[in-house]
Structure formats: C-alpha cells, structure tokens
Amino acid sequence: MILYEFFCNNCQKEFEELVINSNDKVKCPFCGSKDVKRILSPVRAKGGSSTSSIAQASTCMPSGGFS
C-alpha cells in the first residue's frame, strides 16, 4: 500500500489515502465526491540541518574532496 495525497475538485480540500492498486477509485472523505486528483507530495531528505540543501545533506560522497 502507498500513501498518496489527493485534492478534491468538488470541495477543494486535500487529503491522504492509502491505495493498494493505482487503478483504485478514491473518493473524498469530506464530501464523498470521486472527482479527485492525485497531487505530488514534497520529498524530504533526512540528515543535515533544516537549512541545508538536499545535495549538502547527501552522504553518498565523502566531504573534503579528493585525496
């Protein structure tokens, strides 16, 4: 199951829904409308400070450059 975010075109509210199959029909929990669209969720990188960029927070490359 995947947790997706949706936007209801009828009542203009956002909500999350666990979806088993990407073809499943989702309806709004607020108004019951099936006129919903999946929205892209922001991706959050773990590690580093909250002010660092994703590239700076990456631990894939050693810090300090080449030796």
Side-chain angles (χ1 to χ4, degrees), residues 5 40-55 57-58:
E5 288 187 52
L40 294 177
S41 303
V43 177
R44 189 170 117 183
K46 288 194 168 209
S49 69
S50 61
T51 58
S52 66
S53 70
I54 291 174
S58 174

Side-chain angles (χ1 to χ4, degrees), residues 61-67:
M61 296 179 63
S63 60
F66 296 103
S67 358

Side-chain angles (χ1 to χ4, degrees), residues 20-40:
I20 296 172
N21 183 349
S22 61
N23 295 328
D24 288 349
K25 295 293 181 185
V26 175
K27 64 180 180 179
C28 176
F30 300 104
C31 70
S33 173
K34 291 184 180 179
D35 186 16
V36 299
K37 65 179 177 180
R38 196 172 85 195
I39 57 177
L40 294 177

